[in-house]
Amino acid sequence: MPDRGGGPTGPRIRVGRPSRRARTLLLTLGVLAVLAMAFVMFAGFWTDWLWYRSVDYSSVFTTTLWTKIGLFLVFGVLMAVAVGVNIWLAHRLRPPLSAMSLEQQSLDRYRMGVAPYKKWLLLGITALVGLIAGASATSQWRTWLMFVNGVPFHQKDPQFKLDVSFYAFDLPWYRFLLGFGFAAVVLSLIAAALVHYLYGGLRVTSPGARATSAATGHLSVLLGVFVALKAVAYWLDRYGLAVKSSDFKATGNWTGLRYVDANAYLPAKTILFCIAVICALLFFATLWRRTWQLPVIGFGLMVLSAILIGGLYPAIVQKFTVEPNEQAKEAPYIQKNIKATRDAYGIADTDVDNYSGKSSTKDTTKQRGDANSAASYRLIDPNVVSPTFQQVQQKRKYYGFPATLDVDRYNGQDTVIGLRELNIAGIQKHNWINDHFTYTHGYGAITAKGTATDSNGAPVFTESGLPTTGKLPSYQQRIYYGEKTTQYSIVGGPQKELDYEDNGEKTTSYAGKSGVDLSNPVNRAAYAVAFSEPQILYSGAIGEGSRILYNRTPKQRVEAVAPWLTIDGDAYPAVVGGKIQWVVDAYTTSNGYPYASRTTLGDTTADSLTDNQRAVVAQQNQVNYIRNSVKATVDAYTGQVKLYQWDTKDPVLKTWMKAFPNTVKKKADIPADLKAHLRYPQDMFKVQRELLTRYHVTDPKQFYSGSDAWQVPDDPTTRDNRAVPPYYLSMKLPGQKGTGQQFSLTTTFTPSGRPNLGGFMAVDADADSPNYGTIRLLRVTSEVPGPEQVQNKLNSLPDVATFVRDMKGADSDIEYGNLLTVPLDGGFLYVEPVYAQGRNSHYPLLKKVAVSYADADSPDGDTTAFRNTLGEALNKVFGGDGEQTTPPDTGTTTQPPATGNDALKKAIADAQDAYDAGQTALKKQDWTAYGKAQKDLQDALQRAADAGAKAKSSQKGG
């Protein structure tokens, strides 16, 4: 052999060990790296704990944490033990290797390589599978808590007569256990087979027996356990039929048993269960018989039975028994589905009335009077006027309003409200101090009448300014928590905050107890790591009293303290008790209500107004049971979160209240002044209206045929073909007792594939009303124009064409507001505000009001009007003479009437003045003044025409 050490051919090179100093340095660096990684993991845990403690919901954090830890340990250990024991047992049952075959000789080097590390390899494999299984099990914490805390629904499914709680709370946990069992057996079987092969218990190419008796017995038992679990799966599948989704060509999405399920699949699952039990016993019998002949035959029989009994037989029943007379066969099951779906979505008690669609009287004077009291027509569209709020009430660039404002009630009046929140993008100079210390909060609630505008078409503000003043009682105006507040802020320390600017800069320092204290260096270090911001650790702007505020949107905070709730997409503010409180509607949901059809929340709750801010926060997106069980509030100054029980009968909420005791307050604890601002939630309403497009039909035959199916119409005021949003409106419904209007949430339906009106839906949305939550559904029995047809009719009016031409000539954009629908005298009254925005104007102004009265007998031309005010439009539609006043608080009033030639002369003079004013404004490019002049000109010309008509009439009479 050649000398590889250098020898006489060259110097010997010595490779020495690292010096002690180098080893110490490497060891120190390794320890520091481990500590750094440990602190990074600790930082996430510690900051979460600090946040939950700061909002007084630490029990939610600890309950969730201990549940996850418990699941991780139990199922991790079970998986590790199952796999480890089978590996150990396979090794223990290995045969002697005295007579080695060629196959075993080739495996010898692997055995030799494994031998020194057998114990460590066993521990490593079991630890790995245990960690993976444990981590997977932690995701089932909701399933476990619902299983151990479940309360009965006191409702039984129609097929198996089991309480609904079995499907909602128990069956999901049993399915998880079954899946875990399959995983444990399969992994154990693979591991045991590999060990048996490695040590000669199994042979692939060697002559003679393929397996030793010990290996045969061991693997047969594992296979028997697998088949036994399959038997359990067949048994659970029987109950799973009650919550199984399928595509039923007659009705689309379907949940529950159909004829073929009850008469083919159900008996098939029972038969397969019995076969699987027998097959499992045959596998266990190999412990004594030491042969796989019978179990293999039994397993083959089970597979064949699954194909024939579980697949072919139901297909035959469907083809030759159901399809020739499907309507009759499926009718009993459709009836069960209808009942369960209506119960699960809270629409079972919907009050359905036929509505003729034909005017019950031809007395237009009475109709005109009834129109005044039928509704408080909301001319201020919260979806349109946000730019107006922004332009008029923003005050500073670093403030902003949400794109869609909210509707509430103050002093008995429908009110549009928006909060002047902090808009971090509007800060002129961005740096860490400005973004997180100086600019920390918004200021004030801005409100406007929902039913009135000023003479220019702008909202009539009832609370405005900076600080705000108006009709609201005194309240804390600083807004530290809001829908637009997504960044963290550090407050309360040595660095002062900008409060507001009003003839000088005013500063403040946060006095609330919200947020997490940063005085502690450990806390600062943890947040520096968690937020990836090292300045938090050493900045001099942080000191005694400094607190960090984060998770600042209302939906974020409610979702964090109640992760078992599904959050409504629209949180809305209310000024209550001297504070601004965000109100957040929250839902309990389930995917396990037998026979109830499923819906996808993300799709069902989307409409033409849905954006990222107003998207529903779904704990589970596919549901077939929903309740608005919780009303939550978030204080805009302190961030305090309160959860109030709203649905006292909901078993899902009761289950979660058992799991998280003392987190949800009783319904009786809701303050009276807060309750006055609570309302029926939009997302719940949208889910219910989507279900009612089909489930307003309760007759199985009619449901099957789909002859009376509806659809939610597209929003005719937009071009994106998305569903029309529901509208809050104070109105009086046909047959309603009393004379007052109800604060309602409303929507329309059209027949599937047709544009005419099919139905009208309204729910009493006033939480103080004894009829809160009562759904009224008017089924239109005549051909009445729908929203799209009314919009098309409006667009075809000559007055509209002239208005559009004039506005385009003045380089103004036109925007249509909410198309409100109000039942009136057997027909429907449509009201739509129309806004215009000039090139030099940054916000839209109400310029026109369109009104259309639609019933089955009305001629098209005489029932639609496009006028300057609501009063004028109503007068035109119902044949008024222009002398009637507008409904209370619905906009600017018409000019007081004059008579004879004096009225005509005054109108002509006013028209000349308006024309001159318009030309002057046009030269100055003052588009606001030009718009007002055009409005005054049209008013004057209309009065001139009316006066001329009166003069002619009086001459004929004379």
Side-chain angles (χ1 to χ4, degrees):
M1 295 290 289
D3 184 359
R4 300 183 184 277
T9 62
R12 183 182 298 272
I13 300 174
R14 296 180 179 271
V15 180
R17 298 175 63 190
S19 66
R20 179 177 297 178
R21 177 178 297 178
R23 292 198 304 271
T24 303
L25 179 60
L26 290 173
L27 180 62
T28 302
L29 290 176
V31 170
L32 290 176
V34 171
L35 290 176
M37 289 188 291
F39 188 78
V40 169
M41 292 186 289
F42 166 79
F45 164 81
W46 185 243
T47 53
D48 284 347
W49 162 248
L50 291 174
W51 187 86
Y52 275 96
R53 191 175 65 175
S54 73
V55 293
D56 296 326
Y57 282 89
S58 55
S59 63
V60 174
F61 178 81
T62 54
T63 299
T64 305
L65 177 65
W66 286 118
T67 302
K68 290 180 177 180
I69 291 175
L71 292 171
F72 177 85
L73 292 176
V74 170
F75 288 96
V77 169
L78 285 175
M79 182 65 77
V81 168
V83 175
V85 165
N86 280 282
I87 292 175
W88 173 83
L89 187 59
H91 180 266
R92 181 73 178 271
L93 297 174
R94 68 189 184 280
L97 297 174
S98 55
M100 295 187 63
S101 63
L102 291 176
E103 182 181 9
Q104 289 301 311
Q105 288 178 9
S106 67
L107 293 173
D108 186 56
R109 56 176 177 172
Y110 296 108
R111 288 193 293 268
M112 295 292 290
V114 167
Y117 309 106
K118 284 192 292 187
K119 290 184 179 179
W120 292 109
L121 192 59
L122 175 63
L123 290 175
I125 292 173
T126 55
L128 179 62
V129 297
L131 287 172
I132 295 173
S136 177
T138 58
S139 64
Q140 300 296 321
W141 66 270
R142 291 185 179 89
T143 307
W144 166 250
L145 288 176
M146 294 181 78
F147 173 71
V148 296
N149 296 287
V151 301
F153 277 67
H154 300 296
Q155 292 175 286
K156 294 184 178 181
D157 79 281
Q159 180 67 40
F160 301 101
K161 309 304 179 184
L162 295 175
D163 191 90
V164 172
S165 61
F166 170 79
Y167 302 93
F169 305 141
D170 299 344
L171 189 58
W173 180 249
Y174 296 151
R175 283 176 165 169
F176 165 70
L177 291 180
L178 186 63
F180 178 83
F182 274 122
V185 171
V186 169
L187 289 176
S188 298
L189 187 62
I190 294 172
L194 289 174
V195 174
H196 280 299
Y197 175 69
L198 183 64
Y199 286 96
L202 292 177
R203 302 181 181 91
V204 177
T205 60
S206 300
R210 298 299 182 188
T212 64
S213 59
T216 299
H218 184 195
L219 297 180
S220 294
V221 169
L222 288 175
L223 288 170
V225 173
F226 179 86
V227 176
L229 290 174
K230 187 61 179 175
V232 176
Y234 282 133
W235 189 256
L236 289 181
D237 284 347
R238 298 168 67 255
Y239 303 110
L241 293 172
V243 289
K244 183 193 73 171
S245 287
S246 60
D247 187 20
F248 189 13
K249 64 180 180 181
T251 60
N253 179 34
W254 175 274
T255 301
L257 287 85
R258 289 155 48 195
Y259 181 91
V260 69
D261 297 310
N263 295 277
Y265 280 111
L266 186 57
K269 296 293 184 183
T270 305
I271 294 171
L272 289 172
F273 164 76
C274 297
I275 294 174
V277 170
I278 294 172
C279 186
L281 293 176
L282 291 176
F283 273 107
F284 293 142
T286 57
L287 287 172
W288 296 275
R289 292 179 54 85
R290 302 296 182 180
T291 176
W292 279 351
Q293 184 176 6
L294 286 178
V296 169
I297 294 174
F299 188 78
L301 177 62
M302 186 180 75
V303 173
L304 183 62
S305 300
I307 295 172
L308 296 178
I309 303 175
L312 185 59
Y313 174 62
I316 293 173
V317 171
Q318 177 68 25
K319 181 69 176 177
F320 296 102
T321 303
V322 178
E323 289 186 6
N325 192 18
E326 189 173 52
Q327 179 175 313
K329 294 293 185 182
E330 300 290 10
Y333 303 96
I334 293 175
Q335 187 67 63
K336 295 174 184 178
N337 176 267
I338 292 173
K339 182 182 186 306
T341 302
R342 289 170 63 89
D343 287 340
Y345 290 94
I347 56 177
D349 296 327
T350 299
D351 187 0
V352 182
D353 293 314
N354 287 331
Y355 192 71
S356 67
K358 298 181 179 180
S359 174
S360 59
T361 177
K362 300 304 179 182
D363 185 351
T364 57
T365 302
K366 183 179 184 303
Q367 288 179 326
R368 178 63 181 85
D370 291 342
N372 284 347
S373 59
S376 295
Y377 304 96
R378 185 167 40 73
L379 301 181
I380 299 299
D381 186 350
N383 315 309
V384 174
V385 299
S386 179
T388 308
F389 275 54
Q390 185 83 359
Q391 182 67 21
V392 178
Q393 294 296 327
Q394 180 188 24
K395 303 301 183 184
R396 298 292 182 268
K397 290 183 67 176
Y398 49 80
Y399 291 134
F401 292 89
T404 299
L405 304 178
D406 289 291
V407 177
D408 203 344
R409 294 137 295 153
Y410 289 88
N411 302 317
Q413 180 182 71
D414 288 3
T415 300
V416 177
I417 182 171
L419 298 191
R420 187 192 287 120
E421 296 188 43
L422 177 66
N423 176 25
I424 202 73
I427 298 176
Q428 187 172 2
K429 184 178 180 180
H430 285 280
N431 55 55
W432 191 61
I433 294 296
N434 276 350
D435 290 354
H436 300 289
F437 290 81
T438 304
Y439 297 91
T440 60
H441 59 278
Y443 211 101
I446 306 301
T447 62
K449 292 181 179 181
T451 55
T453 62
D454 64 16
S455 58
N456 292 321
V460 177
F461 291 103
T462 55
E463 184 79 15
S464 59
L466 180 66
T468 67
T469 57
K471 294 186 177 181
L472 294 179
S474 177
Y475 65 100
Q476 171 58 262
Q477 298 194 21
R478 297 176 182 88
I479 302 164
Y480 283 86
Y481 295 89
E483 290 181 305
K484 298 174 70 68
T485 314
T486 56
Q487 79 287 353
Y488 71 87
S489 291
I490 299 176
V491 299
Q495 181 71 34
K496 290 293 185 181
E497 310 162 45
L498 174 65
D499 205 19
Y500 60 89
E501 293 179 272
D502 184 16
N503 298 323
E505 184 178 289
K506 301 187 186 306
T507 60
T508 188
S509 187
Y510 184 65
K513 300 300 182 184
S514 182
V516 178
D517 183 16
L518 290 182
S519 301
N520 187 323
V522 175
N523 292 357
R524 292 179 66 171
Y527 279 101
V529 171
F531 287 8
S532 301
E533 182 49 73
Q535 292 188 77
I536 294 177
L537 186 60
Y538 56 77
S539 174
I542 301 175
E544 189 66 30
S546 292
R547 309 180 72 85
I548 184 168
L549 313 180
Y550 62 105
N551 286 348
R552 297 172 70 182
T553 69
K555 290 193 287 186
Q556 277 181 321
R557 295 180 78 77
V558 175
E559 185 187 22
V561 303
W564 35 273
L565 289 174
T566 295
I567 311 302
D568 189 271
D570 182 24
Y572 60 95
V575 179
V576 177
K579 303 175 182 178
I580 298 175
Q581 296 279 357
W582 287 100
V583 181
V584 182
D585 284 288
Y587 309 107
T588 49
T589 60
S590 175
N591 197 23
Y593 198 100
Y595 274 100
S597 289
R598 289 180 172 85
T599 189
T600 303
L601 290 181
D603 296 337
T604 306
T605 58
D607 59 30
S608 63
L609 301 180
T610 303
D611 53 22
N612 290 333
Q613 178 181 308
R614 289 187 171 238
V616 64
V617 181
Q619 182 258 315
Q620 53 179 348
N621 202 24
Q622 271 261 323
V623 304
N624 68 349
Y625 172 91
I626 186 170
R627 290 291 185 273
N628 176 213
S629 296
V630 172
K631 301 284 190 182
T633 61
V634 177
D635 192 298
Y637 182 74
T638 67
Q640 183 183 29
V641 182
K642 292 183 179 179
L643 307 175
Y644 294 102
Q645 182 183 19
W646 186 247
D647 189 331
T648 57
K649 298 179 180 179
D650 177 31
V652 181
L653 178 60
K654 291 179 180 178
T655 295
W656 287 119
M657 290 175 69
K658 281 182 64 180
F660 295 96
N662 303 319
T663 57
V664 181
K665 299 178 181 294
K666 296 180 179 179
K667 185 175 184 178
D669 294 335
I670 300 177
D673 53 354
L674 171 63
K675 190 176 180 182
H677 293 278
L678 300 182
R679 66 190 193 189
Y680 201 82
Q682 292 188 67
D683 284 337
M684 179 79 173
F685 184 81
K686 286 187 279 189
V687 170
Q688 290 174 323
R689 77 171 178 179
E690 181 66 29
L691 269 297
L692 281 171
T693 58
R694 289 180 295 152
Y695 288 92
H696 69 279
V697 176
T698 56
D699 178 70
K701 294 181 180 179
Q702 190 177 17
F703 188 92
Y704 175 87
S705 68
S707 60
D708 196 22
W710 293 342
Q711 64 187 14
V712 177
D714 292 336
D715 189 347
T717 66
T718 64
R719 297 180 181 179
D720 56 5
N721 295 324
R722 301 180 73 183
V724 62
Y727 295 123
Y728 287 105
L729 186 67
S730 291
M731 60 183 299
K732 185 177 180 181
L733 288 169
Q736 175 185 319
K737 296 180 180 179
T739 57
Q741 298 171 356
Q742 291 179 344
F743 185 67
S744 304
L745 189 55
T746 66
T747 192
T748 55
F749 298 102
T750 57
S752 183
R754 299 186 61 197
N756 58 289
L757 203 61
F760 177 84
M761 176 182 173
V763 63
D764 189 338
D766 185 354
D768 276 331
S769 170
N771 298 317
Y772 171 85
T774 300
I775 299 175
R776 288 283 306 278
L777 190 61
L778 302 181
R779 188 196 308 268
V780 183
T781 58
S782 300
E783 191 86 5
V784 176
E788 185 178 357
Q789 292 172 307
V790 170
Q791 188 69 46
N792 290 337
K793 186 197 302 183
L794 167 67
N795 294 339
S796 66
L797 290 179
D799 290 345
V800 175
T802 302
F803 174 74
V804 171
R805 184 179 64 249
D806 291 344
M807 290 296 101
K808 294 297 182 183
D811 201 13
S812 296
D813 294 326
I814 297 171
E815 189 166 0
Y816 294 100
N818 39 222
L819 181 58
L820 305 175
T821 308
V822 178
L824 178 67
D825 190 34
F828 289 91
L829 184 67
Y830 291 92
V831 176
E832 182 178 51
V834 181
Y835 298 82
Q837 181 172 337
R839 182 181 60 184
N840 295 332
S841 174
H842 297 288
Y843 56 92
L845 296 172
L846 179 67
K847 292 300 182 183
K848 295 286 184 177
V849 179
V851 171
S852 179
Y853 182 69
D855 72 346
D857 299 326
S858 296
D860 289 345
D862 297 333
T863 59
T864 301
F866 187 71
R867 292 292 184 268
N868 295 326
T869 67
L870 176 60
E872 292 176 2
L874 290 172
N875 289 340
K876 170 62 177 173
V877 167
F878 295 110
D881 59 4
E883 298 183 5
Q884 298 190 42
T885 59
T886 60
D889 214 4
T890 55
T892 55
T893 58
T894 58
Q895 294 289 336
T899 58
N901 292 329
D902 291 339
L904 180 60
K905 291 178 182 178
K906 186 177 186 309
I908 294 173
D910 289 344
Q912 184 62 48
D913 292 341
Y915 176 81
D916 293 339
Q919 293 302 308
T920 302
L922 191 61
K923 291 177 182 179
K924 296 180 179 180
Q925 293 189 344
D926 185 349
W927 303 113
T928 301
Y930 178 80
K932 182 180 184 303
Q934 292 300 305
K935 178 180 177 181
D936 294 341
L937 176 60
Q938 291 184 3
D939 287 343
L941 292 176
Q942 182 65 44
R943 286 188 283 114
D946 293 341
K950 282 187 179 181
K952 290 181 180 180
S953 176
S954 62
Q955 289 174 1
K956 290 180 180 180

